[in-house]
Amino acid sequence: MVVIPAGDFQMGSPPNEPERDSNERQHSVRVASFAMGQYEVTFEEYDRFCAATGREKPSDEGWGRGRRPVINVDWNKALTYAEWLSKQTGKQYRLPTEAEWEYAARAGTTTPFWAGRCVTTDQANYLGYGYGSPDCGAKTGVDRQKTLPVGSFKPNPWGLYDTMGNVWEWTCSAYDEKYDGAEAKCSKQVRADPLAARGGSWYSRPARLRSAFRAKDVPSYRSDNQGFRLVRSF
């Protein structure tokens, strides 16, 4: 876990950010200090949970398990894993709020990506061929077409790996297009409405790896490009 300092930041994107979406209204948010997983939860970690609780292990699509991020896990199962880990360790783990996720992913930066104005396939795992970073020109790169082990690229300035690409990451926040406050709190476990997901994946074009980009999925959704990362409150 990496300790994330408390602070204020501008969540969302400025109107002039290339490929900006209308649901990225920029607004000031205050975030309390918390700890966040340095990596996305891996198969190695999730498989231990499945073995301990008698659950079926999710498919790895033939790509391998171990240190690759766990995939094919829906929102409710991610919450169940966090609850199990909390009981095992005596510490309170959960999914991050949408605001916590963006704050930590930005790591004090204000550019479209924490890496700057552009991103390349040397910095993240995403759909590289034929898609350039917004407003950056280059339209070639690597299409790996699967997940990579966590930590395959350099971390952001706060020491978090893979906040750009690899797998989408569930948050605990209900998706609210207008940013009316849901982004700063966790939703109840039993729900049917969409939840916010962040970070892009191996199957995303680069614009979706921007710190401000927002995706949404229903809690029962599971995919080979969807995973999660945990946080711990103090």
Side-chain angles (χ1 to χ4, degrees), residues 97-171:
T97 66
E98 193 178 6
E100 287 171 335
W101 193 97
E102 184 174 327
Y103 177 66
R106 286 189 177 281
T109 66
T110 58
T111 47
F113 310 91
W114 67 255
R117 191 171 62 89
C118 307
V119 67
T120 72
T121 53
D122 291 330
Q123 298 169 313
N125 183 21
Y126 64 91
L127 191 63
Y129 186 78
Y131 292 98
S133 295
D135 199 36
C136 293
K139 295 187 180 300
T140 59
V142 179
D143 275 353
R144 299 177 177 94
Q145 300 185 0
K146 59 184 177 182
T147 61
L148 290 178
V150 297
S152 293
F153 304 95
K154 290 182 179 180
N156 76 3
W158 285 354
L160 300 174
Y161 291 84
D162 303 307
T163 55
M164 301 186 299
N166 215 19
V167 291
W168 287 102
E169 298 178 17
W170 286 113
T171 75

Side-chain angles (χ1 to χ4, degrees), residues 15-228:
N16 63 347
E17 185 165 299
E19 299 199 48
R20 178 184 193 265
D21 276 7
S22 60
N23 63 359
E24 297 172 13
R25 178 178 69 84
Q26 197 167 45
H27 60 296
S28 181
V29 177
R30 174 73 178 174
V31 177
S33 181
F34 62 99
M36 190 173 213
Q38 192 171 23
Y39 307 105
E40 296 153 338
V41 173
T42 64
F43 268 109
E44 181 179 56
E45 294 164 328
Y46 195 85
D47 284 351
R48 283 200 295 267
F49 156 68
C50 291
T53 58
R55 285 175 167 79
E56 182 179 357
K57 295 178 181 179
S59 171
D60 65 6
E61 305 295 334
W63 302 336
R65 305 179 83 82
R67 295 292 292 167
R68 291 182 188 271
V70 68
I71 53 176
N72 293 311
V73 174
D74 67 31
W75 188 76
N76 288 309
K77 286 185 173 62
L79 290 190
T80 302
Y81 173 79
E83 292 169 357
W84 173 83
L85 186 63
S86 297
K87 291 178 181 177
Q88 295 297 306
T89 61
K91 298 177 181 178
Q92 193 62 43
Y93 291 94
R94 58 177 173 81
L95 295 175
T97 66
E98 193 178 6
E100 287 171 335
W101 193 97
E102 184 174 327
Y103 177 66
R106 286 189 177 281
T109 66
T110 58
T111 47
F113 310 91
W114 67 255
R117 191 171 62 89
C118 307
V119 67
T120 72
T121 53
D122 291 330
Q123 298 169 313
N125 183 21
Y126 64 91
L127 191 63
Y129 186 78
Y131 292 98
S133 295
D135 199 36
C136 293
K139 295 187 180 300
T140 59
V142 179
D143 275 353
R144 299 177 177 94
Q145 300 185 0
K146 59 184 177 182
T147 61
L148 290 178
V150 297
S152 293
F153 304 95
K154 290 182 179 180
N156 76 3
W158 285 354
L160 300 174
Y161 291 84
D162 303 307
T163 55
M164 301 186 299
N166 215 19
V167 291
W168 287 102
E169 298 178 17
W170 286 113
T171 75
C172 67
S173 298
Y175 176 82
D176 179 357
E177 185 169 350
K178 295 182 179 180
Y179 269 152
D180 285 336
E183 68 275 16
K185 57 189 177 183
C186 285
S187 175
K188 295 180 179 179
Q189 182 169 356
V190 180
R191 60 174 298 115
D193 298 332
L195 285 303
R198 291 301 202 104
S201 77
W202 62 269
Y203 193 60
S204 298
R205 58 190 178 89
R208 297 190 170 195
L209 275 61
R210 292 179 300 109
S211 297
F213 188 85
R214 309 174 68 201
K216 60 179 179 179
D217 290 302
V218 294
S220 60
Y221 178 76
R222 56 183 179 177
S223 168
D224 60 8
N225 61 18
Q226 187 96 18
F228 65 101

